[in-house]
Amino acid sequence: MSDNNNDIIVRIRNLSFSRGSRRIFDDIDIDIRRGSVTSIMGPSGTGKTTLLRLIGGQLRPDAGQIFFDGEEVTGASRRRLFELRKRMGMLFQNGALLTDMDVYDNVAFPLREHTDLPESMIRDLVLMKLEAVGLRGARHLMPAELSGGMARRVALARAIALDPMMIMYDEPFTGQDPISMGVLVRLIREVNDSLGLTSVLVSHDIDEASAISDHIYLLSGGKVVAQGGAEELRNSASEWAQQFMQGLPDGPVPFHYPASSFRDDLLSGGEGERP
Amino acid sequence: MILATLQHLGQRGMQVFERLGRASILLSRILGGIHTLVPRFSLFIHQIHSVGVLSLVIIVVSGVFVGMVLGLQGYNTLVDFGAEESLGVVVSLSLVRELGPVVSALLFAGRAGSALTAEIGLMKATEQLSAMEMMAVDPVHRVLAPRFFAGLFSMPLLAAIFSAVGVLGGFFVGVGLLGVDDGAYWSQMQAKVDFYDDIMNGVIKSIAFGWVVTWIAVFEGYDAVPTSEGVSRATTRTVVYSSLAVLGLDFILTALMFGD
Ligand SMILES: Nc1ncnc2c1ncn2[C@@H]1O[C@H](COP(=O)(O)OP(=O)(O)OP(=O)(O)O)[C@@H](O)[C@H]1O
Ligand SMILES: [Mg+2]
């Protein structure tokens, strides 16, 4: 991999982060190349959403540095952070639409907040983005009237409204039927290539993710356990990669949240609960 | 045993100060964002509607009843001294100095404060505030500031309306039902109620109460644990804390204003 500074849009170095006593990330390095689609995969609860929030500067790491577009996110002032965030879009896991506005106003929200465009131009842009996600006809619905999958597509339209440099998708495929899933997969790739964006994709859908990703990071237990192109991972000798790519229950990736042994837990009868 | 109790007390004390600190930081951020209200003036107007105008019904109805009760009670006391002509003074002074600001602030905390906390807390629980942050929009400026300033603006007006309808309620009972002289009710009121000492002090109180109640409401919502239980607790805290704060502050302000 070329180590040209300009080529890497997100550079994470020696990142550590804990929630209480639980170590979520333990000294990890991640590079995301400009113009690529990079997937972050890993078992539920490994901290994929947390990673996106760290990149967005919503959480502060315990140690390590995160750079976005050559600027340090960690330790940036609130004002700097807001400037940086104008260049990133984020699609939240549950959509996070503003519930007091309809679909149209939700997509128009970032445009109205950050630009002085006339209303007619905003209308064109909003309809364009909604058309792209197939929900132009739903523009007068309120968020409460949308299904989960629809809400996520509206959120996608909102995330691309400002044509950011990079978009972070937190599980965009969950709750999509096969048709809209296919459309979304293509959409993410198309948006990425035609607008020259960078996409960071958190997903559990190995087939979809490997179909559009240039690079995949596998996270588990606070470490990057494998990385590479989809093909590379599939053929990799790494047990982690093998287990994850094939969805095997047994292997190095634990299914369980860390706990004392089940037998001890049953036999203890609740003593010593909550130290 | 004693040590453990002391330790516990100390911890609670620290927590209280920590929350106070966070609330103060939030307040300074809201005040620092006052200029962002200009381009979002329609939001401010919208919030005056939902915080102020929608509280109007409960304020007016309560004001009328409180005024009527004052008329009744005042008359019964005054008539023993043959001083029922002064009913207008009693009713209006009680309202303008005390009951107007205090009762309307308590009603405001229950009606508007709890709604503010619940709304902001739910926005937090559903990640709407996070999403705004990621869109480089500061929720403190976009969501909290319009609500805070709308509360600040509405509260003195609501208190004034409360006092005004209360005086009418007292008039209705005293003059209409109990036969106090119409002219005496108004002229004594005019003669005895001082603009600076009584009305302005009442207005100052209502501004202070509006400040405290909306500050608590907005902070509790923003600081709520982002779950349904957390939001419901925060809403309860808003009502309890702001009622206590209003009553405590009322004593302090009264002592300062009318103490000597
Ligand atoms: N607000 C929080 N406070 C404490 N711990 C948290 C909080 N949010 C998340 N965690 C913990 O952080 C870990 C990582 O959470 P995260 O949401 O990043 O997982 P994820 O990889 O996105 O999982 P999923 O695929 O299920 O969305 C979890 O184990 C969770 O217990
Ligand atoms: Mg997640």
Side-chain angles (χ1 to χ4, degrees), chain A residues 46-121:
Chain A
T46 22
K48 303 179 296 294
T49 302
T50 308
L51 182 66
L52 297 188
R53 282 181 188 278
L54 283 162
I55 296 175
Q58 284 196 315
L59 297 172
R60 305 251 159 184
D62 302 337
Q65 289 166 306
I66 299 172
F67 296 90
F68 171 74
D69 198 19
E71 285 185 63
E72 188 169 350
V73 176
T74 35
S77 70
R78 191 188 304 275
R79 180 170 306 181
R80 283 305 312 151
L81 265 183
F82 275 49
E83 286 304 314
L84 287 177
R85 284 180 191 156
K86 285 184 194 167
R87 288 182 248 158
M88 24 176 137
M90 170 139 172
L91 180 70
F92 279 72
Q93 207 161 351
N94 58 11
L97 296 175
L98 306 177
T99 44
D100 56 346
M101 316 175 178
D102 65 9
V103 164
Y104 179 94
D105 287 331
N106 259 289
V107 180
F109 179 82
L111 295 166
R112 289 187 178 138
E113 286 290 331
H114 292 308
T115 67
D116 292 322
L117 295 176
E119 206 47 39
S120 62
M121 188 100 100

Side-chain angles (χ1 to χ4, degrees), chain A residues 141-264:
Chain A
L141 296 182
M142 295 301 283
E145 298 168 310
L146 302 175
S147 74
M150 285 161 81
R152 211 163 293 123
R153 279 193 276 161
V154 175
L156 172 57
R158 183 178 67 178
I160 56 178
L162 274 181
D163 292 330
M165 231 177 213
M166 176 178 88
I167 306 188
M168 298 187 273
Y169 301 93
D170 198 351
E171 306 197 10
F173 304 131
T174 19
Q176 302 294 345
D177 60 80
I179 301 172
S180 45
M181 173 110 107
V183 173
L184 264 185
V185 170
R186 249 174 293 131
L187 186 69
I188 290 176
R189 188 76 236 187
E190 267 167 27
V191 164
N192 190 77
D193 295 348
S194 61
L195 299 179
L197 306 178
T198 306
S199 309
V200 182
L201 183 67
V202 165
S203 172
H204 292 301
D205 296 84
I206 297 164
D207 296 335
E208 278 70 26
S210 36
I212 54 170
S213 307
D214 301 307
H215 201 83
I216 297 176
Y217 280 93
L218 270 185
L219 299 181
S220 182
K223 295 272 187 198
V224 174
V225 290
Q227 59 161 307
E231 213 43 43
E232 212 176 314
L233 282 186
R234 216 171 273 122
N235 302 328
S236 121
S238 152
E239 285 177 74
W240 300 91
Q242 282 309 319
Q243 186 195 352
F244 204 81
M245 299 305 277
Q246 297 172 22
L248 305 174
D250 284 321
V253 181
F255 164 67
H256 293 283
Y257 191 92
S260 56
S261 98
F262 192 33
R263 182 162 177 278
D264 292 351

